[in-house]
Amino acid sequence: MGTKTVDEAGAETGAEATEAKRDEETVDVTEKDAKDQVTPVSEETDGVDADGEDSDLGEIVEESRSAGVGLGAGAVVSVALGLVSLTGGWIGTVAAARQTLVGQLETASSASVADQIQAVYGDAWQATALWAGLFALAALVTGVVVLARPAFGAPGRVQAPWIKSVAWAGVTLGVIGLLLAVLKYTDALLGLPSAS
């Protein structure tokens, strides 16, 4: 009973080989899983990563959000000013009405028809064009400032595409409004009718 036969020894050796193979596969899988795992930074490190570098990601994100909000608001204001310059605003209407009243008060009844038209209507239209031009200039300057601001900010900070698009729209509306205001103020566009 103390002796082993060849068949029992071969079976025992085969069982040991199979078990050793399973152990090697287990070790390989465990090593792969260990490499895939990411070690989280504990709260005790106080914002410092494993390399000893400062990781203030939260502050950077918050700062970029606040800068983006200001630039976005500036871009929207630029478009609004451009639209006011094209459609006319309350200030332009009041200035035109005031200029009409001044023209009526200062024009003598013995003045020529051309002088009366210029004093009552021409000056009022020029006042409207002047205010439209001021709004257009404000839209143009605001849009340019929004577009140029990232060049003077932190390097590597990218401006959101929608802010650029809206700022370019404000600049375009400002240029168009300024051009139309100059043409109207100089009577090159929609000039006064002839009095003759």
Side-chain angles (χ1 to χ4, degrees), residues 52-150:
E53 295 178 3
D54 207 13
S55 59
D56 296 330
L57 185 61
E59 293 177 14
I60 294 170
V61 169
E62 187 62 33
E63 185 179 323
S64 68
R65 281 184 188 162
S66 64
V69 169
L71 291 176
V76 171
V77 166
S78 174
V79 169
L81 290 171
L83 287 174
V84 169
S85 75
L86 292 176
T87 60
W90 178 78
I91 290 182
T93 303
V94 169
R98 181 183 183 282
Q99 196 59 42
T100 299
L101 183 60
V102 168
Q104 288 173 346
L105 293 174
E106 289 182 353
T107 304
S109 58
S110 60
S112 68
V113 175
D115 290 341
Q116 289 179 2
I117 290 174
Q118 177 62 38
V120 176
Y121 298 107
D123 292 345
W125 291 352
Q126 287 179 341
T128 303
L130 178 66
W131 280 102
L134 290 175
F135 277 108
L137 185 62
L140 181 62
V141 169
T142 305
V144 168
V145 166
V146 168
L147 289 172
R149 173 64 177 96

